[in-house]
Every structure is written in structure tokens, then in C-alpha cells.
Amino acid sequence: MGTASVPFLLRPLVRKIASGAQKGFVDPQLLLNMDFWESELAKTGWFAGTDLSGADIQMSFPLEAAASRAGALLGRPNVRAFLERIHARPAYRRAIEKGGPYAYAKP
């Protein structure tokens, strides 16, 4: 729900509540997840074993979004290397060529 759908007089209160939830719950949980990704990728470079799997393809989407919007690459070299490996794959490049620019992770 955007603030435009909230009655004008309640908007400051709604913003304060949303900001509190973001700072008190969402941001800390996001950091925990990003640190977990980093530690898991440090083991083998992939999420489910020693080779690329469907899990890695699925995880590429939240990592892309977190890299774009939440600073997931800052201080997380394994996350950066994972995304670089995904982007370097011929199948990924062919998908971009066929489907057009990938804008999912853009804010």
C-alpha cells in the first residue's frame, strides 16, 4: 500500500511505522541473509554442491536484487564472484540476447 492510498492526516504516522519496521526488522534480516549467502558460497562457490544447479539459478534472482538495492556486494567477495560466474555463462548471455535487457534487479 503506497502512501497515496492513506488518508492525508495519517501519512506521517504510516511513514513512521513503516520506517520503524524497515530499520528494526527488515534491514537486520536482510543483512543476516546476505551474510549467510556469503558464508555458504565460501564453501564451494555454489549453493547446493560443487557444481551449478537449479538452486543457483533460483538464488541468482534474490542476489541480483540485493546487489542492486541493498549493497549485497559490499564486503562480500563470494557473492560478487557468484554473480560474475552466473553472468559469464553462455546460457545467461544467450538469454539476455534473446529476451532483451535484464531489468529485474533495477530499483
Side-chain angles (χ1 to χ4, degrees), residues 13-23:
L13 176 63
V14 170
R15 282 190 193 108
K16 185 168 181 70
I17 291 169
S19 176
Q22 182 77 35
K23 290 177 186 170

Side-chain angles (χ1 to χ4, degrees), residues 50-103:
T50 58
D51 298 311
L52 176 75
S53 70
D56 298 299
I57 302 302
Q58 287 183 301
M59 286 303 296
S60 70
F61 292 98
L63 268 70
E64 288 273 5
S68 175
R69 299 178 181 199
L73 302 181
L74 301 174
R76 294 182 184 88
N78 295 307
V79 170
R80 180 180 301 279
F82 171 82
L83 288 175
E84 288 171 355
R85 282 193 305 279
I86 292 290
H87 294 166
R89 295 186 52 77
Y92 180 90
R93 291 195 306 267
R94 283 192 308 271
I96 296 299
E97 289 171 9
K98 185 174 182 177
Y102 178 62

Side-chain angles (χ1 to χ4, degrees), residues 19-72:
S19 176
Q22 182 77 35
K23 290 177 186 170
F25 179 73
V26 175
D27 290 345
Q29 290 300 310
L30 188 54
L31 289 173
L32 281 173
N33 278 294
M34 291 187 296
D35 290 342
F36 176 74
W37 299 336
E38 178 68 14
S39 68
E40 287 301 303
L41 289 169
K43 295 175 184 175
T44 65
W46 302 106
F47 280 103
T50 58
D51 298 311
L52 176 75
S53 70
D56 298 299
I57 302 302
Q58 287 183 301
M59 286 303 296
S60 70
F61 292 98
L63 268 70
E64 288 273 5
S68 175
R69 299 178 181 199

